[in-house]
Amino acid sequence: MSFLRGVLAGLAIGYLTAPRSGKETREKLTKTVDDLQQQWEEGVDQVKAQVDRLVGNAQNQANQYANQADKKFDQYKSEANVKKEQAKTAYNNKVDDAADATRSGITNVEDALKLN
């Protein structure tokens, strides 16, 4: 910012000390100020365009990461459901095995009691 002030001060001093009439100097200063203002506005527009582009890129990247996260979540949820079903089946099989063993034990006890 101080560089820009220095440039403006140098231009102003140069124009004020130049061998021109007051009207010519004012016109020249007005033209220079208009040119600087136009350059400033073009620079601001370029910065805005770059910021908009960067924001757009960031939003696209965020959406991609969100989609990847959703896919991973769905994958893990599906895997968890499969493991849940496997655990449920294994549990039911163990319960069935325990019931069968209990029935067999009861039958053995009944048979042993009948013999005596």
Side-chain angles (χ1 to χ4, degrees):
M1 201 63 179
S2 60
F3 173 74
L4 183 60
R5 287 182 190 158
V7 169
L8 292 175
L11 288 172
I13 291 170
Y15 285 121
L16 293 175
T17 59
R20 290 188 191 95
S21 70
K23 182 179 179 183
E24 288 176 352
T25 302
R26 284 190 299 276
E27 288 173 356
K28 186 79 169 165
L29 280 172
T30 301
K31 183 181 179 328
T32 302
V33 167
D34 289 344
D35 290 346
L36 286 174
Q37 183 177 3
Q38 182 181 357
Q39 289 175 1
W40 175 264
E41 289 171 358
E42 288 173 1
V44 167
D45 289 342
Q46 288 176 355
V47 169
K48 284 181 183 178
Q50 288 178 345
V51 167
D52 289 343
R53 184 179 52 82
L54 291 173
V55 166
N57 289 344
Q59 287 175 336
N60 289 340
Q61 195 70 29
N63 288 338
Q64 288 177 356
Y65 288 141
N67 289 338
Q68 289 175 354
D70 285 342
K71 287 178 184 177
K72 280 293 184 187
F73 175 77
D74 291 342
Q75 175 188 350
Y76 292 145
K77 183 178 176 183
S78 176
E79 289 174 4
N81 284 336
V82 167
K83 291 186 185 223
K84 176 182 170 184
E85 289 302 318
Q86 289 173 345
K88 191 186 233 183
T89 301
Y91 173 78
N92 288 337
N93 289 340
K94 289 288 184 180
V95 169
D96 289 342
D97 290 347
D100 290 342
T102 302
R103 282 189 206 106
S104 176
I106 290 173
T107 303
N108 290 340
V109 169
E110 287 175 346
D111 289 343
L113 292 176
K114 288 181 187 175
L115 292 178
N116 291 336

